[in-house]
Amino acid sequence: MKNAFADTHPVVNLVYFLLVIGLGMFCMHPVCLGLSLACAVVCAGFLRPKPGKLLLGVLPLVGLTALGNPLFSHEGVTVLCYLPGGNPLTLESVCYGLAAGTMLAAVVVWFSCCNAVITADKFVYLFGRLAPALSLVLSMTLGFIPRFLEKFQEAGQAQAALGNPPPTRRARLRAALTQVSILVTWSLENALDTADSMRSRGYGLKGRTAFSIYAWTRRDILLLLWLVCAGGYVLIGVALGGVSWTYYPAMAGSFGGYPGTVFVLYAALCLTPAAFGLWEEHRWRCLMSNI
């Protein structure tokens, strides 16, 4: 069943993803990072049809960054051991690498959820009047990604139909470059056709009206109020330094008191699509049981 959060107003979707992506990128508290990644994984299970491949590709980033950061950064006061080159391996550098990897993985998952919810038509609706050129470019880019993969497979199948697969690495590399050339040519032609079509329809002209299927409902207003209140509370906590965390030269931060309530509101904010989808599914089952 499709999650109902994708059917809400585009402004609600935009505010939500601006909050979770922004907080996930700039709040480096370990609790916030863990909540961001865990909630992103949960929401991906609701918002994306097949999140397994994405998670298998993203989660190794945490380990790679945690292992790579100590090789280049040797700051910190807690020395665990010394590397063969004589540089110290510190606990702070390991923890910062783990935090950076968690942040990167969470942001990638959040962007994948955003791509599944905010479609090309929503981009045009949100930014078509403010920045028509940027809105058109973004919508075309989002549409090109899945179509580009499909065309790549079609080009490979067409090349294979022309003859046997190339036996040598050089021949396979040449065939791959041919596929890339075909895709670049197709994408440029498709972009020009789309731009000419939109221009012929008067897209971007001053005073042009546009049809929209999106209308504000009571649930959209309530959701937006919830996002503004919860997101505002978390942003105030971040601005006041209540959830600040330092890794160098020694790790220091806070967990209880005011930050504790920020963590709770932050988790509830991130899990909004999952909770909303479960609630709508429960309502649907109740309605069907009464028929």
Side-chain angles (χ1 to χ4, degrees):
M1 179 179 178
K2 184 180 179 181
N3 190 271
F5 187 75
D7 296 330
T8 57
H9 199 274
V11 174
V12 177
N13 303 147
L14 179 64
V15 171
Y16 170 77
F17 284 110
L18 286 177
L19 286 172
V20 294
I21 293 175
L23 291 170
M25 292 176 61
F26 297 106
C27 186
M28 294 297 292
H29 196 286
V31 176
C32 292
L33 292 174
L35 289 175
S36 178
L37 180 58
C39 295
V41 171
V42 172
C43 291
F46 279 85
L47 300 176
R48 294 186 59 87
K50 297 180 180 179
K53 293 183 179 180
L54 173 67
L55 300 180
L56 291 176
V58 167
L59 293 180
L61 290 176
V62 181
L64 291 176
T65 310
L67 294 175
N69 185 70
L71 298 178
F72 301 96
S73 176
H74 310 290
E75 301 180 23
V77 297
T78 308
V79 179
L80 300 177
C81 62
Y82 287 90
L83 299 174
N87 294 319
L89 176 65
T90 63
L91 176 63
E92 289 77 12
S93 63
V94 174
C95 292
Y96 184 80
L98 184 62
T102 304
M103 181 269 292
L104 180 61
V107 170
V108 170
V109 178
W110 281 128
F111 268 110
S112 68
C113 295
C114 179
N115 188 30
V117 173
I118 303 182
T119 54
D121 56 330
K122 291 185 178 180
F123 263 110
V124 174
Y125 172 81
L126 291 170
F127 305 106
R129 295 183 180 180
L130 298 176
L134 177 62
S135 174
L136 180 60
V137 170
L138 290 176
S139 62
M140 290 172 60
T141 302
L142 292 176
F144 269 144
I145 294 174
R147 295 174 64 188
F148 200 88
L149 296 176
E150 293 177 2
K151 289 294 182 180
F152 185 81
Q153 295 178 355
E154 292 179 5
Q157 294 173 359
Q159 291 292 319
L162 294 177
N164 296 323
T168 62
R169 292 184 177 180
R170 170 177 275 183
R172 287 196 296 267
L173 178 60
R174 186 177 300 174
L177 292 177
T178 302
Q179 290 180 242
V180 173
S181 176
I182 294 172
L183 290 176
V184 170
T185 303
W186 168 81
S187 61
L188 291 176
E189 291 179 353
N190 193 279
L192 289 175
D193 292 340
T194 303
D196 291 340
S197 176
M198 296 299 287
R199 179 180 296 179
S200 64
R201 296 171 183 174
Y203 179 77
L205 295 179
K206 185 178 180 180
R208 176 181 177 270
T209 59
F211 170 76
S212 174
I213 60 174
Y214 305 107
W216 285 96
T217 61
R218 183 172 176 269
R219 70 170 188 176
D220 297 329
I221 297 175
L222 293 177
L223 268 176
L224 184 60
L225 288 176
W226 156 250
L227 294 177
V228 171
C229 293
Y233 187 85
V234 176
L235 289 174
I236 291 174
V238 174
L240 295 178
V243 291
S244 62
W245 188 271
T246 57
Y247 292 89
Y248 300 115
M251 290 186 291
S254 56
F255 289 95
Y258 177 71
T261 59
V262 175
F263 298 148
V264 174
L265 264 295
Y266 181 59
L269 173 67
C270 293
L271 291 175
T272 298
F276 185 72
L278 290 175
W279 170 250
E280 289 292 324
E281 186 175 355
H282 173 71
R283 290 183 58 192
W284 173 257
R285 289 179 179 177
C286 292
L287 291 174
M288 293 299 294
S289 63
N290 296 328
I291 297 178

